[in-house]
Amino acid sequence: MIHPKVRSRLRSALAASCAILCLAGAAAPAPLAAQEGAAAVQDVTITDVMLPLGGTLLRAPKLTASGTRLSKDELAAILKSDSSEPWEARLARLDAGSLTIPVLSSEHAGPGDDRQTVTYRDVVARDVKAGRVGELTAAGATVSAVTGPNRGYGTYGRVRATDLDLAALNRLYTVPGDGKGPVQKVYGTIQVSDVTYSDARGTTVKIAHLNGRDLGGRQIPDGWNGAFEIVAAGFQAPNDRRTFAASAADLIEATALGSLDMQGLSVSNTDPQGPVLFEIERATYAAGPESGTVLENTTVSRGSLRAHLGRLALSNVSLAPTVEALRKAAAGSENRPGFSDAEMRSLTPALGGMTLTDLSIDLPLDPEPPKAAPQDPRPATRGPAPGRPGSAKPTEGKVAESKPADAKASDAKPGDPLAVTITPPPIRRIALREAALSFGPPQDGVPTASRLTLTGLSLPAELVAGAPIIGALPAYGYRELNLDVVADAALDGKARDLSLRDVTVTGREIGTVRLTGTLGGIGPELFNGTLPAATMLMFSGSAKSLDLTIENAGLFERFLTAQSKDLSLKPDELRKEYVTASLLGIPVILGNTAAAKGIGAAMGQFVMKPGKLVLHAKSKEPAGIGFIDIGAARSPAALLDRLDVEAKAN
């Protein structure tokens, strides 16, 4: 479920944060009575500090506490690695104006053969009182993973955190709880700059700035340390499916984050098929009733292929469905590794809506094959003959100079056959001005309603060549398509109906097609992945009603012109033939019923004066006409007898 690379980086970040905070947390105020009897305020230095914290070992060759009343022995006893006294009790006895650690290393083992070391420089904790640190800073850090499958190396720039509650941090990471207690705030703000990490697979991640606010959480049964170890290990032994699901659900429910702001993210990969670069100028997250995520100026490039998105916003995001699905898996009897496709869909977070603006995709044109040089019909000679046109003349006492291979085109004289003109490769661009997607509450991982709008979609017409219906547009003179799209649907799980409330496609100088209707026999099981959706739909689906509206805005005239040229007829002559075919041919094909004649008459009026054509069809049977019956119908007339049909034009 979690990629090893992601697990490794998550573990690295957590271990790094815990390393600084826990060791810096060795400073909290002593009770007032103890302070009164202590020695005067002084600076105390101890060496060779080593603290094991679960799978992480912290090392500090030197630690100096400034502005403290503790003696050297008292400070050493508090930071003793094998002390049996709980951390929270030790924190309560510490008080210092600052703690300074020139070098702090965090060594983490696991899972498996992974070994990672994070080394911080110039760590300083200031205003350490009452189990809290006013400010914690580090000048920078290096991350090194030299063994295991997730090998890599990275660096951090300056790190700064404020309003740290070290006692709360200790409780969350090491003390088990029931997951139902109050949220304990760990820090007020944290800032990290200039993050770079490269792994052995050739992937490099960079972050210019990362700012977080109001991070905290609840105590959970395995403690955060234990839960993170279980989730990072995935389904490896001794973990099982239920253990993994329970710990993942605990962590999601227990974590609280006020906001996150990340700037200058880039991910590059030296793929053998061509380097890939993914960039986000800024990503923000905010919690609360209208929680959401915003990505600004996202770019993906690979060779001549480039995609850019101005803004992407996700609103009303909720992890409640994810937690519910994990709890269900944790309580189940199945102990197999992994999750099925249906379970993966149920793990999907709820999303209220998504909007994006200014999307562009540049697709390179396929290069033309090189043309063969024209063949000289004259017999080949072994060398240039004297006096032959174009042959080189011998020079006396001089050596002919040749142009270097990298000579610039600007150095060549006009008319010089060696002059080279470099032109950029042509591109095809797909652009979208704005898109919006909204969802209703999910049922079994499937939204009960959805609405999609695409505004200002433009693309070269050649990209749709060969597609059904729309693929004929290039033949009618369209070089670029400019479209607006609306798709609005709702799923009624109890009635097993899918309502197509509005499906509209509008093309500039083309026209509009609008479709509404109701399909029966549609339920969430259609998307459970046990059978292909098309197979399920054929056997369970039915058509109950359909309303089709077609408005012409230039397409019919282009069609008529193109067909006239192919048939060597005048457009008016061809139009009359189509009118006759509509009035006489269509009723015959459809059974010559009253409904068939009405359809033919409406189509004839539309052909004569292309404007608007409206068709309404409703099944006479409440359950609708099954898709399998439609596919097996002997003739259109057999289907038309089972429908109430109305057609009109203009």
Side-chain angles (χ1 to χ4, degrees):
M1 178 178 177
I2 299 178
H3 192 280
K5 189 184 300 182
V6 177
R7 292 200 302 265
S8 176
R9 298 206 177 120
L10 176 63
R11 189 187 317 109
S12 301
L14 293 171
S17 300
C18 183
I20 296 183
L21 300 178
C22 286
L23 190 53
L32 181 60
Q35 292 183 22
E36 291 175 350
V41 174
Q42 58 184 330
D43 293 350
V44 176
T45 299
I46 58 175
T47 58
D48 299 327
V49 177
M50 185 171 62
L51 296 176
L53 297 174
T56 300
L57 177 64
L58 304 180
R59 299 177 183 269
K62 179 181 178 181
L63 183 150
T64 299
S66 301
T68 182
R69 296 180 182 275
L70 293 171
S71 67
K72 182 175 181 179
D73 291 341
E74 290 171 329
L75 183 60
I78 292 172
L79 298 178
K80 188 177 180 181
S81 61
D82 57 353
S83 175
S84 60
E85 186 178 10
W87 259 110
E88 194 161 354
R90 286 187 271 169
L91 291 176
R93 299 201 309 271
L94 292 176
D95 184 4
S98 67
L99 293 174
T100 302
I101 308 171
V103 178
L104 169 65
S105 65
S106 167
E107 302 172 5
H108 185 87
D113 296 330
D114 286 340
R115 299 292 184 273
Q116 186 179 78
T117 301
V118 184
T119 303
Y120 298 89
R121 307 185 313 276
D122 300 330
V123 178
V124 180
R126 299 178 179 84
D127 192 18
V128 184
K129 295 180 180 179
R132 298 176 181 273
V133 175
E135 181 186 47
L136 177 67
T137 61
T142 59
V143 183
S144 176
V146 295
T147 61
N150 296 310
R151 300 186 306 276
Y153 179 83
T155 59
Y156 295 165
R158 178 176 169 79
V159 180
R160 180 179 183 269
T162 63
D163 298 330
L164 307 181
D165 188 334
L166 300 170
L169 177 70
N170 174 71
R171 287 192 295 270
L172 290 178
Y173 273 83
T174 63
V175 181
D178 59 7
K180 299 178 181 179
V183 172
Q184 302 179 48
K185 185 176 177 181
V186 174
Y187 64 70
T189 65
I190 185 169
Q191 297 94 36
V192 184
S193 62
D194 299 326
V195 178
T196 300
Y197 188 87
S198 300
D199 65 16
R201 299 178 180 90
T203 300
T204 299
V205 179
K206 296 182 179 181
I207 301 175
H209 301 284
L210 180 65
N211 301 318
R213 182 178 296 276
D214 297 335
L215 176 66
R218 297 181 175 88
Q219 294 171 249
I220 55 179
D222 293 307
W224 281 32
N225 269 339
F228 275 124
E229 289 293 334
I230 292 172
V231 172
F235 297 106
Q236 300 178 18
N239 281 358
D240 58 27
R241 167 188 167 93
R242 290 170 297 189
T243 302
F244 174 88
S247 295
D250 287 341
L251 282 173
I252 292 173
E253 282 193 312
T255 303
L257 174 63
S259 65
L260 187 67
D261 185 346
M262 179 172 56
Q263 300 177 31
L265 169 67
S266 70
V267 181
S268 58
N269 194 337
T270 56
D271 192 289
Q273 298 181 357
V276 179
L277 177 61
F278 173 77
E279 298 175 294
I280 299 178
E281 182 179 290
R282 185 177 185 184
T284 58
Y285 164 81
E290 297 183 356
S291 61
T293 301
V294 176
L295 307 181
E296 299 178 14
N297 290 326
T298 302
T299 303
V300 180
S301 58
R302 182 176 187 174
S304 300
L305 173 65
R306 185 178 186 274
H308 177 264
L309 177 60
R311 187 176 189 272
L312 172 66
L314 308 177
S315 60
N316 298 326
V317 181
S318 172
L319 293 174
T322 306
V323 172
E324 181 181 355
L326 289 171
R327 295 293 184 204
K328 185 177 180 180
S333 58
E334 281 191 284
N335 215 13
R336 57 178 174 79
F339 296 98
S340 66
D341 290 342
E343 289 172 324
M344 290 300 295
R345 279 191 296 274
S346 66
L347 289 170
T348 304
L351 176 62
M354 179 183 73
T355 60
L356 62 86
T357 56
D358 298 330
L359 171 66
S360 64
I361 303 174
D362 292 341
L363 303 173
L365 286 174
D366 297 331
E368 295 183 0
K371 297 181 180 180
Q375 298 293 325
D376 190 344
R378 296 174 296 179
T381 59
R382 294 188 179 182
R388 178 177 296 166
S391 62
K393 295 182 179 180
T395 58
E396 297 180 2
K398 293 184 180 180
V399 178
E401 297 182 359
S402 61
K403 288 182 177 290
D406 59 348
K408 298 181 181 179
S410 59
D411 296 335
K413 298 179 181 179
D416 190 335
L418 296 180
V420 177
T421 301
I422 301 176
T423 58
I427 61 173
R428 295 171 293 180
R429 171 165 293 183
I430 301 173
L432 178 63
R433 187 166 63 252
E434 186 176 2
L437 180 62
S438 60
F439 299 99
Q443 179 180 349
D444 295 333
V446 179
T448 54
S450 61
R451 180 178 176 84
L452 169 68
T453 61
L454 305 178
T455 305
L457 172 62
S458 65
L459 68 159
E462 64 183 46
L463 292 181
V464 301
I469 302 177
I470 197 172
L473 291 175
Y476 302 145
Y478 292 99
R479 295 294 173 261
E480 184 177 73
L481 305 182
N482 294 275
L483 308 173
D484 293 334
V485 178
V486 175
D488 190 342
L491 180 65
D492 187 336
K494 293 183 179 179
R496 300 178 58 77
D497 283 347
L498 176 64
S499 298
L500 304 177
R501 298 185 291 201
D502 184 8
V503 179
T504 302
V505 179
T506 301
R508 190 170 67 190
E509 298 182 2
I510 298 175
T512 299
V513 176
R514 184 172 187 268
L515 178 69
T516 63
T518 302
L519 305 179
I522 309 296
E525 73 280 355
L526 179 67
F527 310 97
N528 65 11
T530 56
L531 284 175
T535 302
M536 289 284 293
L537 190 62
M538 177 59 69
F539 285 98
S540 66
S542 64
K544 292 187 174 183
S545 65
L546 176 70
D547 288 280
L548 175 65
T549 301
I550 299 175
E551 295 185 53
N552 175 57
L555 173 59
F556 189 83
E557 288 78 8
R558 293 195 183 208
F559 165 77
L560 202 63
T561 299
Q563 292 296 307
S564 299
K565 292 180 180 179
D566 291 342
L567 300 174
S568 299
L569 293 173
K570 294 181 179 180
D572 288 343
E573 294 175 343
L574 185 59
R575 186 191 302 270
K576 290 178 181 179
E577 290 192 11
Y578 283 151
V579 170
T580 301
S582 299
L583 294 174
L584 302 179
I586 290 179
V588 172
I589 295 173
L590 298 180
N592 226 9
T593 62
K597 293 178 181 179
I599 295 174
M603 292 188 65
Q605 292 177 6
F606 179 81
V607 173
M608 182 60 68
K609 185 180 178 181
K612 179 186 293 186
L613 176 66
V614 179
L615 176 66
H616 170 75
K618 184 177 181 180
S619 171
K620 296 178 180 179
E621 305 160 27
I625 304 175
F627 292 157
I628 194 168
D629 294 336
I630 296 175
R634 297 188 304 271
S635 66
L639 290 176
L640 197 60
D641 288 339
R642 302 171 65 179
L643 297 170
D644 291 326
V645 180
E646 180 183 355
K648 59 181 180 179
N650 302 322

